[in-house]
Amino acid sequence: MIPDLPVILKRDQHPISRRQIDDDCLKVLYRLQRNGFKGYLVGGSVRDLLLGRSPKDFDIGTDATPNQIKRLFRNCFLVGRRFRLAHIRFAGNKIIEVATFRREVTPEELPEDPREHLHFVQNLFGTPQEDAYRRDFTINALFYNIEDFSIIDHIGGLADLEQRKIRVIGDPMVRFVEDPVRMLRALEFAARLDFSLCENIFPAIATHKDLLTTAAPARVREEIMALFRYGIAAPVLRQCRELGMLPHLLAGYPGTDEGIAMLKQVDDRTRRGTNIDESFALAALYLRLFMDSCPPQRTTAITVALQAANEILTPHCRHFSIAAGIRIHARDLLVGCFRLARGRGQRGEQKFLRHPVTATALELFSLWSEVRRDLKPLRKEWTAIIRPSTQTPHSPARRKRKRRRKTPQPQ
Ligand code: ATP
Ligand code: MG
């Protein structure tokens, strides 16, 4: 049963209170409103507040154009080439992102001369309703209106929140072609929120999964890291394997049962509150493959392990343009695990024990020993002589603010 849209929930019909909204975000909303513009809280923050979760960040939608926003806020910087977004900066490196409502562009609409496309897209604004329609999932398209503290739902997101469903706005067959990363995001939100996927998502993934290879690697990299930061890498990558997406997402990653079991250990560690960085995630992702390609026998030289690690990590890092520093750290973690798996009493052990990467390698090795239980005695031996690394606990939901387009490029 589809409700009449838009559904508007008045202040007394929903649980979101201003006290839950970031102070600086409220300041921006109020200033927009005082100057005659609409000020809406949009996207993930409304969804999370309605679910009783604390949002990672607060994004704002408005009918003020980027230049109008800039005139209203001294601490405002416009970013993005195609889609101009306003970043309002506050103390402590806090950035509140303010985006003008926009709408989807159809290829037919674009000016004939490609040189005019950029100007056209930059100035293509829309109504709040059109803005809701261009978003990815219904639960991500809810608005909170600062004018009367109401929630506005143009798409049916409230009903889907209620039923705990991830529903693509429009036809997934079309929306996944527009932006293949949405396939991964669908699985990601389902795992994060423990929601189910609408049935029409599966045939659309089956048809269009190979388009994932055409997605911008930087965006895929960002979403993969999000899986690790939210502690959902194992279930989502397992599902990617089952749906045949893995080769199009991570060409060199085999996704074996043991490999996924290792990711489960990593996810549990993240959920217990340990920060995860990209080198640790990479090493965890490829540990099983690495150990297979270079079995840690006592006679195997470190140079062999170094080469095996490089051969596995280099194609991944090249494809995703991952900095050398991260790759080298991941390589050292893999080689560190190799040394640990070879056992004690090898040449260079003292130097290895003093090396800064060793404690983190032992953490990785300990997780691996939960999968390969025969390694447990070795783990015990090493743990007795290696001091733990000084990882700082964190809240699992924190991550660096992204600066990227919020809508796909028109075809
Ligand atoms: P998170 O808690 O991870 O920040 P979020 O829903 O805020 O979740 P973002 O990636 O920050 O996700 O994106 C903000 C909003 O932009 C989304 O809620 C969604 O409305 C819209 N959006 C993001 N990516 C896409 C996309 N690929 N296609 C359409 N809309 C998108
Ligand atoms: Mg967000």
Side-chain angles (χ1 to χ4, degrees):
M1 181 44 202
I2 300 162
D4 282 343
L5 296 168
V7 174
I8 296 180
L9 296 186
K10 297 208 188 82
R11 172 63 196 97
D12 58 0
Q13 296 172 308
H14 68 78
I16 299 183
S17 125
R18 269 163 294 160
R19 259 175 315 185
Q20 295 166 286
I21 302 173
D22 178 86
D23 281 346
D24 293 321
C25 175
L26 279 175
K27 278 186 213 155
V28 176
L29 287 169
Y30 279 129
R31 185 172 301 183
L32 286 167
Q33 194 212 350
R34 275 201 309 276
N35 285 276
F37 297 112
K38 288 191 163 65
Y40 288 1
L41 201 58
V42 298
S45 51
V46 187
R47 172 199 72 218
D48 288 345
L49 288 173
L50 283 171
L51 288 170
R53 294 166 170 252
S54 42
K56 181 173 57 65
D57 44 40
F58 291 90
D59 293 335
I60 291 177
T62 180
D63 54 356
T65 63
N67 287 327
Q68 286 171 324
I69 304 167
K70 186 154 175 54
R71 281 198 288 273
L72 280 184
F73 298 93
R74 257 189 314 144
N75 47 345
C76 168
F77 298 82
L78 296 187
V79 299
R81 213 167 93 84
R82 296 183 67 80
F83 302 107
R84 310 282 278 162
L85 297 169
H87 277 182
I88 320 251
R89 297 197 182 163
F90 291 93
N93 278 338
K94 192 201 288 177
I95 291 173
I96 304 281
E97 193 169 283
V98 185
T100 309
F101 298 131
R102 34 180 83 257
R103 64 183 173 86
E104 206 65 86
V105 59
T106 57
E108 301 80 55
E109 272 183 289
L110 286 170
E112 254 171 51
D113 185 349
R115 283 168 304 182
E116 290 170 26
H117 285 192
L118 183 64
H119 179 77
F120 180 82
V121 174
Q122 272 182 351
N123 292 289
L124 190 79
F125 302 122
T127 61
Q129 183 179 19
E130 286 168 330
D131 188 83
Y133 270 91
R134 75 172 175 99
R135 290 172 184 275
D136 45 7
F137 309 111
T138 56
I139 57 162
N140 286 351
L142 296 164
F143 299 141
Y144 170 89
N145 185 358
I146 199 64
E147 195 182 330
D148 56 3
F149 317 124
S150 63
I151 287 171
I152 307 170
D153 174 12
H154 287 285
I155 315 262
L158 286 169
D160 288 331
L161 267 188
E162 189 76 25
Q163 290 169 32
R164 307 180 70 79
K165 274 212 170 309
I166 303 294
R167 187 187 309 276
V168 174
I169 296 172
D171 182 354
M173 287 283 182
V174 176
R175 302 300 311 279
F176 290 170
V177 175
E178 277 173 14
D179 178 8
V181 176
R182 291 178 184 147
M183 295 186 243
L184 182 56
R185 282 175 62 87
L187 308 187
E188 184 185 317
F189 282 113
R192 254 173 75 183
L193 306 172
D194 194 22
F195 276 30
S196 62
L197 293 160
C198 277
E199 278 306 316
N200 64 0
I201 287 178
F202 296 102
I205 288 182
T207 309
H208 294 304
K209 56 182 188 282
D210 53 338
L211 291 180
L212 278 164
T213 41
T214 65
R219 294 187 57 215
V220 175
R221 174 187 177 190
E222 178 73 47
E223 299 296 344
I224 301 265
M225 266 322 287
L227 304 181
F228 281 98
R229 293 204 183 94
Y230 285 113
I232 51 168
V236 174
L237 291 181
R238 186 187 303 111
Q239 199 172 17
C240 285
R241 181 183 74 184
E242 282 158 12
L243 298 176
M245 293 159 70
L246 219 40
H248 309 291
L249 210 55
L250 289 168
Y253 177 63
T256 52
D257 284 341
E258 257 186 357
I260 303 260
M262 174 63 184
L263 296 185
K264 168 83 172 61
Q265 295 298 324
V266 176
D267 285 341
D268 290 347
R269 168 182 176 269
T270 310
R271 283 162 177 266
R272 287 194 296 267
T274 310
N275 219 339
I276 181 152
D277 62 26
E278 194 166 14
S279 48
F280 196 90
L282 269 182
L285 201 55
Y286 288 111
L287 184 63
R288 155 73 209 261
L289 183 65
F290 167 75
M291 288 292 188
D292 276 359
S293 71
C294 126
Q297 282 142 8
R298 296 190 81 78
T299 48
T300 312
I302 295 297
T303 47
V304 175
L306 269 170
Q307 196 186 340
N310 277 332
E311 274 170 19
I312 289 171
L313 293 172
T314 304
H316 179 107
C317 293
R318 195 171 287 151
H319 175 74
F320 289 107
S321 306
I322 294 174
I326 297 175
R327 175 173 50 80
I328 289 167
H329 195 229
R331 182 201 67 191
D332 289 349
L333 288 173
L334 288 178
V335 175
C337 280
F338 169 85
R339 279 177 177 273
L340 294 167
R342 271 194 324 180
R344 293 212 49 199
Q346 295 279 324
R347 241 179 57 199
E349 184 175 294
Q350 283 313 313
K351 203 169 153 204
F352 173 59
L353 288 176
R354 283 196 305 271
H355 197 285
V357 88
T358 301
T360 316
L362 177 59
E363 260 188 83
L364 194 64
F365 183 78
S366 302
L367 300 177
W368 180 232
S369 74
E370 296 296 329
V371 179
R372 284 281 179 92
R373 297 188 147 259
D374 53 319
L375 295 173
K376 283 214 158 183
L378 262 183
R379 165 193 171 173
K380 205 168 158 205
E381 260 185 72
W382 287 113
T383 309
I385 53 167
I386 297 173
R387 254 190 297 142
S389 69
T390 43
Q391 284 276 1
T392 43
H394 79 129
S395 100
R398 282 228 58 82
R399 67 175 165 158
K400 244 172 80 180
R401 248 194 106 73
K402 291 171 293 188
R403 277 190 180 195
R404 65 165 168 74
R405 283 183 302 112
K406 296 274 166 124
T407 48
Q409 267 178 285
Q411 299 297 297

